[in-house]
C-alpha cells in the first residue's frame, strides 16, 4: 500500500481521472503541473474538474528544486507530464525534446537520490509507428511504412514489397518500435530512460503505452491533441469534421476511465516490474466511423464528415492494441465499449464550448511542408 502518490502532469486530461481513481481507493494524491496555456487556457487556473482533495503544485518538471519538494514524502510516481501534439512536435522540435526528455531526466535523477516504491511512466502507441501487418500467405510484417511519394499519389494502404496490400492485425508490445515523429521519439525516450534507470536504483518501474484516449476533460480547443477532441470541437461549432486521407485508418479508442484503471492496476501489481504494457481496448474503429458516430451523438447527423484526401507526415495508417499482456499480468479488462464511452462523455461534451483551431493547425503544417 502506498500513502502519497505524485502525478506529474496530473492536472491534465488523463492525470485528473487518474487522481479520481486513486483518491477513490484511499490514496493521497499530489500533482505537479505547469498548467500549459495550450491545454489549460491563457489564465492557467487550477482546473475546476480537479478534485479538491488533490494537492496541486504549479510548476515545471524541469525545475529541479520544485520537483524535489514535490517528491517529498511520496512513495510512488506516475509520470504523465508531457507536451502531447504529434504534428506540432515536428516543428517545435527543441521544445518537445526539452519538455519531454529533460523533464523525465530531471525526475529520474532526483529519484536516484530519494527512492520510491513504484514508478509508472506514460508512454504511447506512437512508439510503434505503423502497427503489425500480415500478408495473405500469413507472413507477419513489422517495420513497414508508407513513403512520402506514396502519400502524394494518395495511395493510403500499407503494401508489401510485391505490392500486395497488407492486413493490419493487433499490435503486441513485442513489435519493434519505429518512431515517425519527434513526439514519438520523446515518448520512447521517456519510457526507456525510466526502464533503464528505475531498476538500477531499485525502483520497480512500468511503462504503459496508451492508445487513443478519449473522454471528458480533454482539451477541446487544443488542435494538436487527439482526433476525438478535434472532431468534437468542429461539430460543437457546427462544422463538419475534417477527415484526413480516406477516413479508413483504424485506431483503438480507449475511454479515459479505463486508462485510469490500468494505471492503478500497474501501481498495485507486484510482478510486473520492468514490463511495458499496451493500454487499449483490443478493438478498432475507422476514423470516418468515429466522425459519423460523434456527429450523431451530438445531434448533428447533418454534418457529413469532409474526407479531405490530405495526409500529414508522421501519421500512420493502422494501429490497434493486442492487450493480452495487460489482461494476463495486470488483470486489465476494459469496461467501456466505444458506444458506452461516447454515451458517458456526451453530457460533458454537450455543455462545452470550444474554439475550433483545426484549420489554423493544419495551415501550420502545410506551410512547413509537413502535410499535403
Ligand atoms: N491522450 C492520449 O490519447 C494519449 C495517448 C498516448 C499517450 N498519452 C500520454 O499521456 C500523458 C497525459 O496526456 P493527456 O492526454 O492527459 O495530455 P494533457 O495535455 O491533457 O496533460 C498533460 C499535462 O502535463 C502538463 N505538462 C506538460 N508539460 C509539463 C511540464 N514540463 N511540467 C509540468 N507539467 C507539464 C500539462 O499542463 C498538462 O496538464 C502524456 O504523457 C501523453 O504523452 C496520451
Amino acid at each position: 500500500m502506498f500513502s502519497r502518490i505524485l502525478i506529474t502532469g496530473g492536472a491534465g486530461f488523463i492525470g485528473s481521472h487518474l487522481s479520481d481513481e486513486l483518491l477513490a481507493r484511499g490514496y493521497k494524491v499530489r500533482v505537479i503541473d505547469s498548467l500549459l496555456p495550450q491545454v489549460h487556457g491563457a489564465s492557467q487556473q487550477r482546473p475546476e474538474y480537479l478534485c479538491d482533495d488533490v494537492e496541486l503544485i504549479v510548476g515545471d518538471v524541469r525545475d529541479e528544486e520544485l520537483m524535489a519538494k514535490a517528491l517529498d514524502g511520496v512513495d510512488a510516481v506516475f509520470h504523465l507530464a508531457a507536451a502531447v501534439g504529434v504534428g506540432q512536435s515536428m516543428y517545435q522540435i527543441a521544445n518537445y525534446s526539452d519538455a519531454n526528455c529533460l523533464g523525465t531526466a530531471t525526475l529520474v535523477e532526483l529519484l536516484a537520490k530519494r527512492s520510491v516504491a513504484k514508478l509508472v511512466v506514460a508512454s504511447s502507441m506512437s512508439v510503434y509507428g505503423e502497427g503489425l501487418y500480415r500478408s495473405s500467405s500469413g507472413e507477419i510484417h513489422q517495420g513497414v511504412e508508407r513513403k512520402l511519394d506514396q502519400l502524394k499519389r494518395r495511395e493510403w494502404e500499407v503494401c508489401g514489397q510485391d505490392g500486395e496490400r497488407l492486413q493490419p492485425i493487433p499490435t503486441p508490445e513485442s513489435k519493434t518500435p519505429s518512431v515517425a515523429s519527434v513526439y514519438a521519439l520523446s515518448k520512447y525516450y521517456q519510457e526507456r530512460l525510466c526502464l533503464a534507470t528505475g531498476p538500477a536504483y531499485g525502483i520497480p518501474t512500468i511503462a504503459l503505452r496508451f492508445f487513443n484516449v478519449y473522454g471528458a476533460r480533454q482539451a477541446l480547443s487544443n488542435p494538436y491533441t487527439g482526433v476525438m477532441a478535434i472532431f468534437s470541437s468542429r461539430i460543437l461549432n457546427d462544422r463538419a469534421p475534417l477527415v484526413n486521407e480516406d477516413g479508413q485508418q483504424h485506431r483503438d479508442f480507449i475511454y479515459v476511465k479505463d486508462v485510469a484503471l490500468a494505471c492503478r492496476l500497474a501501481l498495485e501489481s507486484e510482478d510486473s516490474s520492468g514490463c511495458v504494457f499496451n493500454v487499449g481496448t483490443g478493438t478498432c474503429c475507422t476514423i470516418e466511423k468515429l466522425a459519423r458516430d460523434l456527429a450523431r451523438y451530438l445531434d448533428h447527423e447533418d454534418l457529413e464528415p469532409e474526407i479531405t484526401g490530405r495526409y500529414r507526415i508522421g501519421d500512420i495508417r493502422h494501429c490497434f492494441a493486442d492487450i493480452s499482456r495487460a489482461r494476463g499480468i495486470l488483470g486489465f479488462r476494459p469496461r467501456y465499449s466505444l458506444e458506452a464511452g461516447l454515451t458517458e462523455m456526451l453530457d460533458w461534451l454537450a455543455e462545452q464550448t470550444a474554439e475550433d483551431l483545426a484549420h489554423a493547425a493544419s495551415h501550420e503544417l502545410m506551410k512547413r511542408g509537413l502535410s499535403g
Side-chain angles (χ1 to χ4, degrees):
M1 186 68 179
F2 306 90
S3 54
R4 180 172 282 108
I5 296 168
L6 176 69
I7 310 175
T8 72
F13 164 48
I14 298 173
S16 67
H17 285 276
L18 175 57
S19 300
D20 294 346
E21 173 78 25
L22 297 177
L23 288 167
R25 294 283 287 197
Y27 297 112
K28 292 195 184 87
V29 176
R30 181 182 292 157
V31 158
I32 180 163
D33 197 301
S34 57
L35 302 178
L36 283 182
Q38 185 165 293
V39 181
H40 296 277
S43 66
Q44 293 185 276
Q45 299 286 330
R46 177 184 174 117
E48 275 179 23
Y49 57 66
L50 195 64
C51 180
D52 290 344
D53 294 335
V54 171
E55 178 192 350
L56 172 65
I57 298 176
V58 178
D60 198 294
V61 288
R62 288 164 291 183
D63 180 337
E64 208 181 315
E65 208 175 309
L66 199 64
M67 271 301 280
K69 279 191 197 142
L71 285 167
D72 204 28
V74 157
D75 46 18
V77 177
F78 283 95
H79 182 39
L80 269 59
V84 302
V86 175
Q88 192 177 40
S89 77
M90 295 297 278
Y91 59 91
Q92 288 192 8
I93 297 168
N95 176 33
Y96 272 72
S97 303
D98 199 64
N100 296 358
C101 302
L102 185 60
T104 308
T106 307
L107 168 67
V108 293
E109 202 166 294
L110 286 165
L111 288 179
K113 294 179 208 149
R114 54 174 76 220
S115 194
V116 287
K118 189 65 86 66
L119 170 62
V120 182
V121 57
S123 184
S124 162
M125 53 88 77
S126 66
V127 304
Y128 293 121
E130 284 291 346
L132 207 60
Y133 287 83
R134 187 166 49 205
S135 65
S136 56
S137 65
E139 192 188 346
I140 302 295
H141 291 251
Q142 57 171 322
V144 284
E145 58 182 39
R146 301 179 299 173
K147 300 276 180 257
L148 183 55
D149 277 356
Q150 174 184 351
L151 297 177
K152 286 183 173 165
R153 291 194 302 273
R154 269 63 191 163
E155 291 170 12
W156 306 124
E157 290 300 337
V158 172
C159 296
Q161 281 180 342
D162 57 1
E164 180 195 352
R165 177 178 163 174
L166 302 174
Q167 291 305 316
I169 57 174
T171 298
E173 294 83 352
S174 56
K175 188 204 168 255
T176 308
S178 171
V179 295
S181 67
V182 176
Y183 169 74
L185 184 59
S186 74
K187 294 310 290 179
Y188 195 50
Y189 176 90
Q190 291 189 318
E191 170 190 310
R192 289 294 115 188
L193 189 69
C194 290
L195 288 170
T197 53
Y201 291 99
I203 303 171
T205 304
I206 295 170
L208 300 178
R209 291 180 179 160
F210 301 158
F211 278 63
N212 290 71
V213 190
Y214 70 97
R217 307 174 185 169
Q218 210 160 5
L220 297 184
S221 302
N222 179 359
Y224 302 100
T225 182
V227 65
M228 184 83 83
I230 295 168
F231 285 174
S232 300
S233 103
R234 293 281 300 174
I235 296 166
L236 290 170
N237 283 285
D238 294 327
R239 295 181 189 143
L242 298 172
V243 176
N244 285 341
E245 303 187 10
D246 61 354
Q248 298 313 300
Q249 310 90 309
H250 285 85
R251 293 290 186 278
D252 184 336
F253 292 98
I254 178 157
Y255 192 55
V256 66
K257 287 187 181 173
D258 278 334
V259 174
L261 169 68
C263 289
R264 179 175 61 73
L265 292 173
L267 175 79
E268 292 171 348
S269 73
E270 284 179 1
D271 50 2
S272 54
S273 182
C275 284
V276 173
F277 294 99
N278 282 341
V279 178
T281 62
T283 63
C284 60
C285 165
T286 68
I287 299 292
E288 182 184 354
K289 178 174 181 326
L290 176 77
R292 288 186 188 285
D293 283 358
L294 254 183
R296 183 162 44 82
Y297 275 75
L298 287 168
D299 278 336
H300 262 304
E301 265 173 312
D302 53 310
L303 292 177
E304 189 69 13
E306 191 181 321
I307 310 288
T308 63
R310 291 213 196 100
Y311 61 84
R312 291 188 317 178
I313 292 177
D315 271 356
I316 51 115
R317 182 65 178 169
H318 305 295
C319 190
F320 45 95
D322 177 334
I323 57 168
S324 320
R325 187 184 286 176
R327 196 182 283 129
I329 298 180
L330 300 179
F332 174 56
R333 308 262 182 288
R335 299 157 300 183
Y336 289 84
S337 63
L338 185 57
E339 290 68 29
L342 283 176
T343 305
E344 191 172 293
M345 80 182 274
L346 199 62
D347 287 346
W348 173 81
L349 256 186
E351 282 173 9
Q352 301 306 303
T353 50
E355 202 178 347
D356 171 24
L357 299 170
H359 257 309
S362 95
H363 182 68
E364 285 293 329
L365 295 180
M366 289 279 271
K367 83 176 185 212
R368 291 175 166 84
L370 294 168
S371 73

